[in-house]
C-alpha cells in the first residue's frame, strides 16, 4: 500500500460559515501502479486533502501514511516519497527548465552523474528539448506545466501527487500530461490526482473517489461505480452521487 488515508478530518473557519469541515472523515488507499482520481467540484476539499497528504497541512483527526511513513510522526520521511504538481506551476522565472531540474535534483541529494542523465531523460520524456535552455519566464502555460511535472519527477519518487494538473492547459499539452500519468503507472508508481473533469477521471483512473463538501461519497473502479449506481457513464454517476445543480458555497 502506498497512500493510506484513514478518517481524515480538517476544520476550517470562515466568517460566513463559521467552523466547517473542509475534509470530513475521508478514507482511501492508493496502491503501487495505480492511478487514483479524487473527483469533485470546486470547494469539495480536494486540495485540502492533498495538502494533508503532502504534509503542508496537519489533519485534525485521522491518520495518513505514505509508503509507510506517517504524516504526523515522520513528515520528513513522507516528503522523500512523493513528487507534487499543482495547477500553478510556480517556477523561478530566471532559471531555465534544465537549471530548474538541476536545482531541485541537488536539493533532493540526487548523485551528480545520475542527475544529468535523469534530467536528459525527463527533457525527452516531456518533449521539452526545444525550450530546455530558455528562461521559464518566456515559456507558455503548457511548457511551464511540463517543467513543473518534470520537477516533481526528478528524484524518481514512488508516489506522484497532482492537484488539477491539467487546469488551463491546451489539448495537446493535456494529452502529454495524460501520457505521463500512464507512464508513471507503468513504472509502478502510485499516482494520486485531483480533478473536476469527468472525462479526465474516466480516461485515466484505475479507481475514482467522488468527493463533495469534504465527504468521500463514492469510490471504486468505473465499472464498479456504473454497476453500483446503475448509470452508463461517470457524468451520470457523478450527478447521482453529488446531486444536480449543487452549490457548495465556495
Ligand atoms: N485556509 C482556508 N481557510 C478557510 N477555508 C478554506 C481554506 N482553504 C480552503 N478553504 C475552504 O475549504 C473548502 C475546501 O477547499 P479546497 O480543498 O481548496 O477545495 P477544492 O480543491 O476541491 O476546490 C472550500 O469551501 C474552501 O473555500
Ligand atoms: Mg483545489
Amino acid at each position: 500500500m502506498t497512500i493510506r488515508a484513514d478518517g481524515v478530518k480538517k476544520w476550517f473557519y470562515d466568517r460566513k460559515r463559521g467552523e466547517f469541515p473542509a475534509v470530513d472523515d475521508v478514507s482511501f488507499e492508493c496502491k503501487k501502479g495505480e492511478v487514483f482520481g479524487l473527483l469533485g467540484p470546486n470547494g469539495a476539499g480536494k486540495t485540502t486533502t492533498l495538502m494533508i497528504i503532502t504534509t503542508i497541512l496537519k489533519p485534525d483527526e485521522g491518520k495518513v501514511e505514505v509508503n509507510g511513513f506517517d504524516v504526523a510522526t515522520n513528515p520528513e520521511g513522507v516528503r522523500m516519497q512523493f513528487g507534487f504538481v499543482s495547477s500553478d506551476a510556480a517556477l523561478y522565472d530566471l532559471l531555465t527548465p534544465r537549471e530548474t531540474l538541476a536545482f531541485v535534483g541537488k536539493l533532493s541529494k540526487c548523485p551528480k552523474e545520475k542527475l544529468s542523465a535523469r534530467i536528459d531523460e525527463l527533457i525527452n520524456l516531456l518533449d521539452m528539448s526545444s525550450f530546455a535552455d530558455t528562461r521559464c519566464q518566456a515559456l507558455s502555460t503548457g511548457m511551464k506545466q511540463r517543467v513543473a511535472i518534470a520537477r516533481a519527477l526528478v528524484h524518481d519518487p514512488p508516489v506522484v501527487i497532482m492537484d488539477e494538473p491539467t487546469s488551463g492547459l491546451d489539448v495537446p499539452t493535456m494529452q502529454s500530461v495524460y501520457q505521463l500519468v500512464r507512464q508513471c503507472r507503468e513504472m509502478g508508481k502510485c499516482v494520486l490526482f485531483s480533478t473536476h473533469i469527468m472525462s479526465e477521471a474516466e480516461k485515466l483512473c484505475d479507481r475514482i473517489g467522488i468527493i463533495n463538501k469534504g465527504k468521500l461519497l463514492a469510490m471504486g473502479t468505473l465499472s464498479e461505480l456504473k454497476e453500483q449506481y446503475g448509470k452508463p457513464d461517470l457524468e451520470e454517476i457523478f450527478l447521482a452521487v453529488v446531486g444536480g445543480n449543487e452549490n457548495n458555497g465556495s
Side-chain angles (χ1 to χ4, degrees):
M1 200 62 55
T2 309
I3 297 174
R4 185 198 291 259
D6 191 14
V8 174
K9 194 155 186 164
K10 181 74 189 177
W11 293 90
F12 278 143
Y13 174 85
D14 79 30
R15 249 192 257 160
K16 222 166 62 192
R17 279 178 289 183
E19 195 114 34
F20 69 99
V23 175
D24 195 355
D25 197 18
V26 164
S27 304
F28 66 92
E29 293 170 341
C30 181
K31 303 180 187 75
K32 242 171 99 57
E34 179 176 60
V35 179
F36 187 94
L38 206 49
L39 174 70
N42 265 330
K46 303 183 295 296
T47 298
T48 307
T49 303
L50 299 188
M51 292 288 144
I52 291 168
I53 296 169
T54 54
T55 76
I56 294 163
L57 290 174
K58 286 201 171 104
D60 293 316
E61 285 172 35
K63 190 176 163 80
V64 178
E65 276 182 9
V66 180
N67 236 5
F69 295 89
D70 191 308
V71 297
T73 55
N74 194 348
E76 279 88 26
V78 171
R79 282 177 217 133
M80 302 299 288
Q81 306 307 311
F82 66 81
F84 180 64
V85 182
S86 71
S87 48
D88 169 19
L91 303 169
Y92 293 110
D93 277 349
L94 298 180
L95 297 185
T96 68
R98 197 186 299 279
E99 288 164 350
T100 303
L101 300 181
F103 175 63
V104 173
K106 267 190 207 160
L107 285 184
S108 69
K109 303 196 174 77
C110 184
K112 221 175 181 178
E113 331 67 75
K114 244 177 107 181
L115 181 58
S116 89
R118 177 79 184 145
I119 290 173
D120 288 337
E121 188 190 344
L122 285 169
I123 287 173
N124 273 326
L125 199 66
L126 284 150
D127 208 10
M128 292 171 28
S129 19
S130 63
F131 58 88
D133 300 301
T134 305
R135 283 184 178 181
C136 288
Q137 63 189 7
L139 304 181
S140 71
T141 312
M143 290 169 175
K144 284 182 178 163
Q145 190 64 346
R146 275 184 269 174
V147 180
I149 292 172
R151 178 181 58 188
L153 297 174
V154 170
H155 58 303
D156 201 16
V159 176
V160 179
I161 299 174
M162 300 173 145
D163 193 11
E164 308 211 29
T166 59
S167 88
L169 298 186
D170 57 19
V171 172
T173 315
M174 261 186 185
Q175 295 296 339
S176 68
V177 172
Y178 295 162
Q179 201 188 337
L180 202 86
V181 168
R182 293 192 184 101
Q183 280 166 333
C184 286
R185 167 168 53 203
E186 276 159 35
M187 288 183 246
K189 295 186 192 302
C190 157
V191 185
L192 169 63
F193 82 95
S194 77
T195 183
H196 66 271
I197 307 168
M198 311 278 158
S199 59
E200 190 166 293
E202 201 152 20
K203 265 191 274 188
L204 221 48
C205 298
D206 299 306
R207 287 193 306 130
I208 297 164
I210 298 177
I211 186 170
N212 190 37
K213 294 182 181 170
K215 285 196 187 303
L216 201 54
L217 299 172
M219 186 164 49
T221 65
L222 187 58
S223 52
E224 284 167 356
L225 292 172
K226 280 180 186 171
E227 195 175 333
Q228 190 182 342
Y229 290 90
K231 303 284 182 194
D233 60 40
L234 189 56
E235 200 162 301
E236 297 224 12
I237 294 165
F238 186 84
L239 288 175
V241 171
V242 167
N245 259 333
E246 186 72 23
N247 185 340
N248 43 46
S250 65

